[in-house]
Amino acid sequence: QVQLVESGGGLAQAGGSLRLSCAASGSIFSINAMGWYRQAPGKQREWVATITPIGTTIYEESVKGRFTISRDIAKNTVYLQMNSLKPEDTAVHYCVVDLVISRGTPPVRYWGQGTQVTVSS
């Protein structure tokens, strides 16, 4: 059994900052990529950022230069530092982790429960 527990969402003013965390626990053999998605009201879920197993980071265009994805391998945790927040960043943010439960099995994607980020103008 694998669990992803998110924390760190909340309310911020435009220009402010928030930091999201997502910790994976349970039966984990290895972790591949980790990342974040978000879903704004009335919109489809969209990809935000990814960090690969070798630490390469990739960002959706609208968050480049404002958001930073990082991870703590020892803690199986991924972070999203969000600076210079804008009202259009308002959304439920979900972490995703591609992980392997046991040797020889294919990776499986797990989703966090989602955390609300609200940015006021």
Side-chain angles (χ1 to χ4, degrees), residues 12-117:
Q13 290 188 330
S17 299
L18 287 172
R19 188 190 193 213
L20 306 183
S21 300
C22 173
S25 63
S27 178
I28 300 172
F29 175 74
S30 65
I31 291 180
N32 293 351
M34 309 176 85
W36 294 89
Y37 283 69
R38 66 186 180 186
Q39 187 167 18
K43 295 188 177 181
Q44 290 190 329
R45 190 172 299 188
E46 66 174 4
W47 166 75
V48 175
T50 296
I51 185 164
T52 71
I54 61 171
T56 302
T57 57
I58 315 165
Y59 298 94
E60 192 273 328
E61 194 64 34
S62 70
V63 307
K64 278 183 182 177
R66 300 189 299 122
F67 290 10
T68 302
I69 188 171
S70 62
R71 65 183 180 180
D72 185 328
I73 296 174
K75 295 181 179 180
N76 290 340
T77 299
V78 61
Y79 305 96
L80 187 67
Q81 178 66 45
M82 305 183 292
N83 298 330
S84 302
L85 283 164
K86 303 176 180 180
E88 49 263 44
D89 295 319
T90 295
V92 178
H93 286 65
Y94 300 89
C95 65
V96 293
V97 178
D98 295 335
L99 59 87
V100 176
I101 295 176
S102 59
R103 184 189 296 272
T105 61
V108 177
R109 171 158 290 188
Y110 287 83
W111 291 82
Q113 80 278 12
T115 186
Q116 178 69 46
V117 171

